[in-house]
Amino acid sequence: MDIPLDVIEDEQGRLRDIHDRPMVLIFSSKPRRPRRPRPPKDKGIGVTHKKFEFINIVKPGDVSEASRHLIKTHVMQNVRHRQRENSKATQSAPSGGQLCSRNHVSHSPSTIPPQITTDGPAFIGFPVPMQPYMRKLLHQYSTSIMHITDPKHPSNPTESAWFPMFMTDAALFHAVLCTSAIWTNLLSGGNDEVPQGRHMLEAISLINVRLRNVDVSDATLTTILFLAKAEYTQKNYTIWDVHMNGTRRIVEMRGGISALPALIRQKIYDAELLGCIETGSIPRFLSIKPAFSEHSTESHLLSSGFAKLANDNILHGELLEIFNEIEKSIAGFAGRKLNPALLESAMLPIRYRLLCLRADVCPSSLSECLRLGVLLCTQSLLRKPPVRGVYLSVMLSGFRDAIVELEISSSAPDGLLIWFSVIGGTSAEGVHREWFTKKLRELTIGVDIWELLKSIVGQYWWVDQIHELAGRQLWSEVTQSSDDDT
């Protein structure tokens, strides 16, 4: 009969069996068969254990759970002792990119655990789930694109008045990402239209749900304006027109454009202005006149050429008021380095008012030439973006037709047609530039030097730091074409 193995510990800590005989642990010394190679394991994942064989040399029998537990306890004490030694060695080792084991991770008080890097601030909450490419689009918009599309934005995007609205409204956030994707393609010459299409559809879907309600928020209206500007940028004028018509209905529901915040109103004028310039459309929204000074209609504030027109009652009414505002803006920047943001802010309401002048305000060809010529002049004062500038083909065509009618009526003062031709020529390209070059050559017979021509156009609006180089280039083409004809 096999006697069960039982083990006790005496006073000296030695192990004995129930018959008070010493208990001996014997390890197997048999040579092992060669093991098949296995893929290497991470040493830091865990501790490998050797398999022990417990042998009863006295009598064969079953091993009780108590005996197995006691023997296993002594074996594990040695394993834990080795772990503590390894831990002490790891803590005393210098920090040089050593990998810590899974069971031991320590951070010294002077070090910061490594953080996951992203393309955007990790502590800012976004209104939509973010993906890496979306963070990149947002970074590109906040660092460069927002200043290209609107130089009035502050250098720090978080100081922009639009920033709180961007970061809290999902539809507007998608519209911003759509704008960033469009301009990224324009600046890089890429043709990946998937991101811009995706975010445009997301923004439109959210807007369609919101428009079922009577009350339309500022964020929803701003999103529509961003989408209109995005379509304008891609020259999708038909869709731009749809968005602006929808904007007009919303504005009417909210009590008119004068009832809107100034920030939203400025965004409406901006989205409307550029589209109307390129398409020749009449603006949908009435401009709000600024509070003019008591001398706003006096001619002595104007340049000598325009002052003569005012004294002859050719330049009068609202057109004269606008000319005085332009004169103040140009005089304020004369002799100083132009600030694009301030100049853009000053010229936006002026240019919009010029677009809003109807035929009853400008009934004659001279008034129409003045209106279009001044629009082109103010456009030349503004900073040109690196890509996707304002296309002036429609406006230049109307300007040419008005000049032809003005010549037929023979009502143009001396020098004014020359100023019209110089402003039109410096603003034009291609066939339009050729037309104005030819017209200027016909008007300057007897004018053989640039300084003499400059003295003529200087009677009207002329900013040397902006117009000098462009004017000289145009005059060079005029003289070159005259030499070719002779």
Side-chain angles (χ1 to χ4, degrees):
M1 179 176 178
D2 295 333
I3 301 175
L5 177 63
D6 200 358
V7 181
I8 60 175
E9 184 177 0
D10 60 9
E11 296 178 355
Q12 287 77 25
R14 291 188 293 267
L15 301 178
R16 294 180 177 275
D17 61 6
I18 58 175
H19 301 289
D20 198 30
R21 291 177 297 190
M23 186 69 184
V24 181
L25 298 178
I26 300 178
F27 294 93
S28 175
S29 60
K30 296 180 181 180
R32 296 183 178 180
R33 292 178 295 178
R35 303 171 65 180
R36 287 181 292 182
R38 296 181 179 179
K41 296 182 179 180
D42 187 2
K43 295 182 179 180
I45 294 179
V47 181
T48 58
H49 302 281
K50 292 183 179 180
K51 182 178 180 181
F52 298 101
E53 292 184 7
F54 300 91
I55 301 175
N56 181 8
I57 62 172
V58 181
K59 290 182 180 180
D62 298 330
V63 182
S64 66
E65 288 298 324
S67 301
R68 187 182 297 275
H69 174 74
L70 182 59
I71 297 172
K72 196 172 182 179
T73 299
H74 283 271
V75 174
M76 289 304 298
Q77 284 179 352
N78 186 37
V79 174
R80 295 192 181 95
H81 174 72
R82 291 182 182 179
Q83 289 180 349
R84 288 193 294 270
E85 294 296 325
N86 292 337
S87 176
K88 293 179 182 179
T90 304
Q91 290 179 353
S92 60
S95 58
Q98 298 288 339
L99 294 177
C100 298
S101 66
R102 183 180 179 182
N103 297 325
H104 175 75
V105 179
S106 63
H107 300 295
S108 61
S110 61
T111 60
I112 300 175
Q115 302 292 325
I116 300 175
T117 59
T118 61
D119 291 329
F123 55 86
I124 295 180
F126 298 102
V128 299
M130 295 294 288
Q131 298 181 19
Y133 85 93
M134 296 166 64
R135 292 181 180 272
K136 186 175 181 180
L137 288 177
L138 183 61
H139 174 74
Q140 291 169 339
Y141 181 83
S142 60
T143 55
S144 61
I145 294 174
M146 68 183 297
H147 303 104
I148 294 175
T149 57
D150 189 355
K152 299 184 292 297
H153 281 296
S155 57
N156 185 355
T158 59
E159 297 176 358
S160 171
W162 299 105
F163 184 79
M165 196 180 294
F166 290 162
M167 302 306 296
T168 55
D169 188 86
L172 182 55
F173 193 80
H174 281 297
V176 170
L177 295 182
C178 173
T179 302
S180 180
I182 291 172
W183 276 92
T184 299
N185 281 339
L186 289 175
L187 294 171
S188 64
N191 55 1
D192 185 10
E193 298 181 356
V194 174
Q196 68 191 52
R198 173 188 174 186
H199 292 292
M200 182 174 290
L201 290 177
E202 291 285 351
I204 292 175
S205 299
L206 292 172
I207 289 175
N208 288 336
V209 174
R210 298 178 185 179
L211 291 180
R212 298 170 186 172
N213 300 324
V214 177
D215 296 330
V216 179
S217 65
D218 290 345
T220 300
L221 182 56
T222 305
T223 303
I224 298 174
L225 294 172
F226 262 86
L227 295 178
K229 193 77 174 289
E231 298 292 357
Y232 154 81
T233 304
Q234 302 176 90
K235 301 182 185 179
N236 298 328
Y237 300 119
T238 303
I239 306 178
W240 164 83
D241 192 65
V242 171
H243 286 312
M244 295 310 300
N245 285 332
T247 300
R248 178 175 59 183
R249 290 193 291 269
I250 294 174
V251 170
E252 292 173 353
M253 291 170 54
R254 295 187 54 171
I257 194 166
S258 59
L260 298 176
L263 194 65
I264 306 295
R265 193 164 59 238
Q266 184 180 21
K267 194 70 177 177
I268 293 175
Y269 289 152
D270 184 51
E272 179 86 329
L273 174 71
L274 297 177
C276 288
I277 287 177
E278 296 193 4
T279 61
S281 306
I282 297 176
R284 300 163 179 80
F285 307 95
L286 296 178
S287 61
I288 299 178
K289 297 181 182 180
F292 293 107
S293 64
E294 58 181 354
H295 303 292
S296 60
T297 59
E298 294 189 5
S299 60
H300 72 273
L301 300 174
L302 298 173
S303 301
S304 60
F306 292 128
K308 186 176 184 304
L309 294 178
N311 293 332
D312 295 341
N313 204 29
I314 298 174
L315 182 62
H316 57 84
E318 186 176 0
L319 193 59
L320 178 58
E321 292 178 355
I322 296 174
F323 272 52
N324 276 289
E325 287 299 307
I326 298 174
E327 188 74 41
K328 292 177 186 177
S329 300
I330 294 179
F333 292 105
R336 297 187 301 164
K337 184 178 180 181
L338 293 176
N339 186 319
L342 294 178
L343 190 58
E344 183 87 17
S345 299
M347 288 299 167
L348 176 61
I350 293 174
R351 296 161 69 209
Y352 193 83
R353 289 186 67 198
L354 284 169
L355 281 177
C356 290
L357 291 180
R358 301 299 197 271
D360 55 344
V361 180
C362 300
S364 65
S365 57
L366 178 56
S367 297
E368 182 66 6
C369 282
L370 287 171
R371 185 182 75 90
L372 294 176
V374 172
L375 269 172
L376 292 171
C377 182
T378 54
Q379 181 65 42
S380 67
L381 299 176
L382 304 180
R383 177 189 56 86
K384 296 179 176 60
V387 293
R388 186 50 176 101
V390 180
Y391 294 95
L392 303 172
S393 180
V394 175
M395 182 176 293
L396 289 169
S397 296
F399 193 33
R400 288 170 52 178
D401 295 339
I403 291 176
V404 171
E405 293 181 7
L406 182 61
E407 287 182 310
I408 295 174
S409 64
S410 301
S411 60
D414 296 339
L416 185 59
L417 280 174
I418 295 178
W419 184 77
F420 286 155
S421 300
V422 172
I423 291 298
T426 54
S427 304
E429 296 178 352
V431 294
H432 292 300
R433 189 177 180 92
E434 294 177 1
W435 189 90
F436 284 105
T437 300
K438 181 179 178 181
K439 179 61 63 178
L440 187 59
R441 185 180 58 191
E442 297 172 356
L443 296 171
T444 55
I445 297 176
V447 179
D448 53 356
I449 58 175
W450 164 250
E451 284 71 18
L452 182 56
L453 178 65
K454 182 179 176 181
S455 65
I456 295 174
V457 297
Q459 299 174 17
Y460 303 94
W461 285 323
W462 190 262
V463 181
D464 282 340
Q465 61 191 104
I466 294 177
H467 297 133
E468 178 74 17
L469 179 59
R472 284 184 177 274
Q473 291 176 347
L474 180 65
W475 179 245
S476 176
E477 295 175 16
V478 171
T479 56
Q480 182 66 34
S481 61
S482 299
D483 296 338
D484 293 342
D485 291 342
T486 58

